[in-house]
Amino acid sequence: MHHLRYELDHLDWLEAESIHVFREVAAEFERPVLLFSGGKDSIVMLRLAEKAFWPGRIPFPVMHVDTGHNFPEVLAYRDRRAEEMGLRLVVASVEDSIAAGRVRERPDGLRNPLQTTTLLDAINANRFDAVFGGARRDEEKARAKERVFSFRDEFGQWDPKNQRPELWSLYNGRHFPGEHIRVFPLSNWTELDVWQYLARESVDLPQIYFAHRREVFERDGMLLATGPFTAPREGELVETRTVRYRTVGDMTCTGAVESLAASYADVIAEVAVTRVTERGATRADDRMSEAAMEDRKREGYF
Amino acid sequence: MELLRFATAGSVDDGKSTLIGRLLFDSKAVMADQLEAVERTSAQRGEGYTNLALLTDGLRAEREQGITIDVAYRYFATAKRKFVIADTPGHIQYTRNMVTGASTANLALVLVDARKGILEQTRRHAFLSTLLRVPHMVLCVNKMDLVDWSEQRYEEIKHEFREFAAKLDVPDLTVIPISALNGDNVVTRSEQMPWYDGSSLLHHLEDVHIASDRNLIDVRFPVQWVVRPMSDEWHDYRGYAGVVASGVMKVGDEVMVLPSGLSTTISAIETFDGPVEEAFPPMAVTVRLADNLDVSRGDMICRVRNAPDVTQDVDAMICWMGDAASLTAGSRWAIKHTTRNARVVVRELTYRLDVNTLHRDESAESLSLNEIGRVRLRVTQPLFTDEYRRNRSTGSFILIDEGTGATVAGGMIL
């Protein structure tokens, strides 16, 4: 019906913009890679890439930076999707970086901050020149300032005060050997857009995004799952609650939220009325300081 | 739901970030944890009220200096529309960000302080918005609370701005008196200004008609990517992927491919989700042609009797954004136009434009950061161009410094 008036729904508009970005990168770069964690944003990216090149195959590999503390369900999903789509999966491991002495385990056990080194080493070793990331500008205030094509110097650093102007949809991917471009095809998507799109496309997601029973304990106001990497400390009470995850990262810093949302429709209803950002609610790594994300991004984080 | 992109502009203290904070806050796009963080920071600084500007000024340097440095993109939605805000800084040295934000905007939101009235920067921003052909403009006369909600003051500013705007060819202008700090006329109509009978800002943003701003007449399809799966299943498949820049493409249309000039018909328009009968901007589709022509990235599909200019000589207005390099006659740059990359030499700097007085300085010998001028370029290969005023996609380009990789200019073809 909307075709009669030549109007596009906002999801169609976002989809078209992202597909355009994927094709520009494929056409203008030698060695792109898509960061694929099995999280919902990277799943949307993969779907969009599939659409951009259909009926051809996605013309680049996918890469996961594995902290060694990931949810087993999500790793299984990652492997299955890559195989179904015939994609080469590169796994860059934080454990390997620790073993090689590139980074040192932190006293608090958090491995998220260590990922930057592993990521940059893998980009260098594979000579990737364009790295697709699923970051969205609505996630965090430093990300609100990021370009779709974001230049990184030979050290992988982002300089927020010296970014290339990005006009119309004319993206500038120029870089010299050793430098690379981070590309964010979901820049203009919000959390709600992502969920509405996943529902519309009926994309299969890791089950932990939907309500399930899980043993959890409370720490710093977050519900952490019990598991091999997250043991409750003294005084932290373990209970079985009905929870789901809004973001999926390292198990040691990703909290669950209490939720009965078992379907896409339930999750969309929940996201539409929620009053806390997904990162504020569930990510210990973003709570460290007001500029935690900016500082990590400058060093080359996702 | 329809999507509207708007760019905000204003001088340093016009309250632009406060207005955006207010729109986000009142439309419930600000989350509790974000608000708490802002309240904490405001309290630490001893500010008397919650400083909503802190919601948008995300970088450390911005918070330290109390200014907006870079374009920040913000998102909110109402029951009627989804909005993308490009929040651009008002300082003189950051004009390039204003141009960046305006390049994709459906609407420009210009703020003035009711006490100060129209300033040099207000004029500059209004001028840049019209130069970038933003189809709609809203002038918000802010801080009405500080002029005792005076209708007379509002009318003075409105009159002065309209006189200036008449020189600019502003397509569609709306003027709204507001107080961003208190939220008057931002989301709901203010009781403080009964003499104002127009819409609140948000109501206007929800209702302004944008569907006909696109060019649906001139078919322009820059080929972005050639789809050739070379698999058993899709053995002889060949399709041309891209985004429809303008016009409505239909299956069966007779089309011409540039630069070859050969004509054929559209045999199919395909997407991952199945074939479609028609495609219009900004759809991303794959076009298949009845004949096997030589078509590659950078080529253009158009109608036989409605083609763009095919030219190596380009007359354009450009906004210079390079920090180090400047533009002079004889200088050489890389150009990106639609999906085509080439090189240019500057044949002539026709004039430099003073954005405050609109005076043309024909004796100017260079353009440096944040300066605007008219140039004649010679391109290494033909581009397929339209006038920017008719087509924002095929009428725009960027210049790149090949020595540094930096984007140094945005150009609008005349």
Side-chain angles (χ1 to χ4, degrees):
Chain A
M1 177 194 85
H2 66 260
H3 280 228
L4 290 176
R5 289 156 59 227
Y6 301 119
E7 279 182 22
L8 282 187
D9 181 69
H10 73 284
L11 292 179
D12 293 323
W13 189 94
L14 291 168
E15 179 186 79
E17 183 184 60
S18 303
I19 286 175
H20 174 77
V21 168
F22 275 110
R23 289 171 177 163
E24 277 304 284
V25 170
E28 297 204 335
F29 289 77
E30 298 287 323
R31 298 174 69 84
V33 67
L34 184 150
L35 293 175
F36 181 64
S37 63
K40 67 181 191 313
D41 301 305
S42 67
I43 290 168
V44 169
M45 276 208 296
L46 201 57
R47 176 67 159 196
L48 292 163
E50 190 179 15
K51 291 194 176 195
F53 304 106
W54 178 90
R57 280 202 176 171
I58 296 174
F60 40 76
V62 296
M63 177 161 78
H64 182 216
V65 178
D66 186 349
T67 60
H69 292 168
N70 285 98
F71 291 91
E73 303 93 317
V74 178
L75 294 182
Y77 177 95
R78 174 198 77 183
D79 295 343
R80 182 164 51 79
R81 276 306 273 157
E83 197 185 320
E84 281 168 3
M85 296 181 70
L87 294 169
R88 184 164 74 89
L89 170 67
V90 178
V91 177
S93 152
V94 173
E95 306 239 292
D96 290 350
S97 300
I98 294 169
R102 291 283 295 137
V103 288
R104 191 186 294 182
E105 192 91 73
R106 291 159 53 103
D108 60 10
L110 283 184
R111 285 187 175 176
N112 244 36
L114 308 182
Q115 290 182 99
T116 301
T117 301
T118 309
L119 172 66
L120 294 177
D121 285 353
I123 290 170
N124 273 332
N126 290 280
R127 290 181 292 116
F128 292 131
D129 55 2
V131 181
F132 291 105
R136 310 187 318 267
R137 288 175 180 150
D138 81 317
E139 274 181 273
E140 208 283 331
K141 54 191 181 294
R143 285 188 166 165
K145 308 254 159 172
E146 178 104 56
R147 302 292 184 263
V148 176
F149 273 41
S150 183
F151 175 79
R152 300 304 157 107
D153 70 9
E154 61 204 299
F155 301 102
Q157 297 179 109
W158 179 57
D159 181 359
K161 286 174 83 171
N162 189 25
Q163 300 193 77
R164 291 175 180 171
E166 200 159 70
L167 295 97
W168 299 288
S169 47
L170 294 170
Y171 299 108
N172 173 4
R174 298 282 171 133
H175 61 280
F176 292 98
E179 302 167 343
H180 71 278
I181 305 285
R182 296 286 173 88
V183 183
F184 301 105
L186 305 185
S187 287
N188 287 321
W189 296 57
T190 63
E191 185 186 15
L192 189 58
D193 296 329
V194 165
W195 280 105
Q196 287 172 338
Y197 188 75
L198 287 165
R200 187 182 88 171
E201 301 287 310
S202 312
V203 179
D204 162 42
L205 271 190
Q207 278 306 307
I208 70 170
Y209 277 114
F210 299 102
H212 57 284
R213 304 279 288 166
R214 188 180 282 264
E215 276 196 351
V216 293
F217 59 91
E218 212 172 311
R219 179 179 297 166
D220 304 330
M222 290 196 312
L223 294 178
L224 293 181
T226 56
F229 319 112
T230 45
R233 297 174 192 147
E234 209 179 301
E236 291 175 336
L237 177 70
V238 176
E239 295 174 280
T240 301
R241 298 207 209 171
T242 303
V243 298
R244 69 176 198 87
Y245 286 87
R246 280 178 77 185
T247 68
V248 166
D250 187 286
M251 283 183 85
T252 59
C253 68
T254 305
V257 291
E258 289 208 271
S259 169
L260 297 175
S263 67
Y264 274 121
D266 296 344
V267 172
I268 289 169
E270 193 180 278
V271 171
V273 299
T274 186
R275 302 301 304 138
V276 182
T277 63
E278 52 188 330
R279 290 199 157 259
T282 63
R283 293 297 276 267
D285 45 333
D286 288 329
R287 294 172 158 198
M288 290 186 274
S289 82
E290 200 165 51
M293 179 64 90
E294 180 182 343
D295 293 343
R296 282 183 296 150
K297 280 184 69 61
R298 280 172 178 275
E299 291 165 8
Y301 188 72
F302 302 109
Chain B
M1 211 187 324
E2 209 174 23
L3 188 143
L4 179 123
R5 295 182 71 131
F6 68 96
T8 56
S11 300
V12 181
D13 299 314
D14 287 340
K16 180 165 50 72
S17 295
T18 309
L19 175 63
I20 292 176
R22 175 59 63 186
L23 279 173
L24 297 176
F25 181 70
D26 287 353
S27 65
K28 301 191 167 54
V30 175
M31 303 295 185
D33 55 320
Q34 293 172 313
L35 193 62
E36 275 166 30
V38 166
E39 281 169 349
R40 254 195 329 268
T41 308
S42 279
Q44 274 166 13
R45 294 173 166 200
E47 290 166 340
Y49 55 90
T50 301
N51 183 355
L52 293 176
L54 295 172
L55 282 171
T56 58
D57 294 335
L59 300 175
R60 191 191 294 278
E62 294 176 318
R63 288 163 176 261
E64 283 166 6
Q65 298 170 42
I67 55 164
T68 310
I69 286 175
D70 204 276
V71 187
Y73 294 90
R74 299 286 159 188
Y75 304 83
F76 71 100
T78 65
K80 283 190 176 169
R81 264 188 186 158
K82 181 183 159 72
F83 298 94
V84 180
I85 314 173
D87 179 16
T88 65
H91 325 285
I92 187 162
Q93 66 269 41
Y94 293 119
T95 296
R96 66 176 189 181
N97 291 325
M98 160 78 210
V99 170
T100 301
S103 72
T104 51
N106 306 100
L107 182 146
L109 200 158
V110 180
L111 267 107
V112 294
D113 184 327
R115 296 168 304 173
K116 297 178 189 160
I118 311 294
L119 302 177
E120 195 177 294
Q121 294 205 41
T122 322
R123 292 197 186 88
R124 179 183 309 125
H125 285 142
F127 168 72
L128 292 174
S129 300
T130 43
L131 182 70
L132 273 288
R133 305 295 302 174
V134 180
H136 307 274
M137 186 181 294
V138 175
L139 177 75
C140 282
V141 181
N142 191 20
K143 307 198 183 181
M144 286 300 293
D145 52 318
L146 300 182
V147 295
D148 294 325
W149 316 103
S150 161
E151 178 178 13
Q152 194 197 336
R153 184 64 188 137
Y154 166 74
E155 288 294 337
E156 280 167 18
I157 292 170
K158 183 169 148 181
H159 180 72
E160 190 187 346
F161 190 78
R162 281 200 187 277
E163 266 190 359
F164 172 70
K167 289 190 262 180
L168 290 182
D169 187 21
V170 174
D172 165 41
L173 174 66
T174 303
V175 188
I176 305 176
I178 64 164
S179 164
L181 188 61
N182 303 305
D184 293 84
N185 281 342
V186 175
V187 173
T188 50
R189 287 275 303 275
S190 168
E191 289 170 11
Q192 307 284 355
M193 293 172 276
W195 44 265
Y196 173 73
D197 58 7
S199 312
S200 72
L201 173 61
L202 185 64
H203 193 247
H204 179 72
L205 294 174
E206 287 183 322
D207 278 357
V208 60
H209 181 68
I210 55 169
S212 22
D213 295 341
R214 286 167 305 167
N215 178 335
L216 295 175
I217 295 165
D218 310 312
V219 170
R220 302 287 184 265
F221 186 78
V223 175
Q224 196 186 5
W225 175 259
V226 180
V227 185
R228 283 199 307 135
M230 294 186 287
S231 60
D232 290 343
E233 192 187 351
W234 302 95
H235 195 69
D236 293 320
Y237 188 97
R238 184 183 267 269
Y240 306 102
V243 164
V244 183
S246 60
V248 178
M249 306 177 84
K250 296 186 174 75
V251 175
D253 277 353
E254 192 183 5
V255 291
M256 179 164 74
V257 180
L258 296 172
S260 72
L262 296 172
S263 57
T264 179
T265 54
I266 296 177
S267 60
I269 303 174
E270 298 181 332
T271 73
F272 174 89
D273 298 297
V276 293
E277 279 301 305
E278 309 184 299
F280 50 90
M283 285 172 70
V285 295
T286 299
V287 172
R288 303 191 67 194
L289 302 175
D291 298 291
N292 222 337
L293 306 179
D294 173 16
V295 184
S296 48
R297 174 174 166 87
D299 292 359
M300 173 87 77
I301 297 173
C302 60
R303 296 300 300 270
V304 175
R305 272 172 290 279
N306 177 350
D309 294 326
V310 179
T311 180
Q312 285 178 261
D313 293 292
V314 171
D315 256 314
M317 293 300 294
I318 65 168
C319 178
W320 195 256
M321 301 172 162
D323 288 309
S326 61
L327 176 137
T328 52
S331 58
R332 288 166 189 269
W333 313 96
I335 186 170
K336 185 165 185 184
H337 172 262
T338 65
T339 54
R340 210 154 236 252
N341 288 291
R343 291 188 173 87
V344 300
V345 58
V346 180
R347 274 283 160 84
E348 176 187 292
L349 171 57
T350 316
Y351 57 79
R352 180 171 60 209
L353 192 70
D354 183 319
V355 294
N356 300 313
T357 61
L358 306 185
H359 173 73
R360 298 170 178 184
D361 180 2
E362 290 173 11
S363 66
E365 292 188 345
S366 69
L367 289 183
S368 51
L369 181 61
N370 293 317
E371 291 185 331
I372 288 167
R374 178 169 175 167
V375 295
R376 280 182 52 221
L377 307 174
R378 176 74 180 169
V379 193
T380 50
Q381 49 172 288
L383 301 180
F384 316 121
T385 67
D386 292 286
E387 286 178 22
Y388 183 76
R389 58 185 302 124
R390 185 165 176 91
N391 198 317
R392 279 174 107 183
S393 297
T394 55
S396 57
F397 61 84
I398 56 171
L399 297 181
I400 296 165
D401 182 336
E402 290 190 282
T404 62
T407 303
V408 289
M412 290 138 284
I413 296 169
L414 294 164

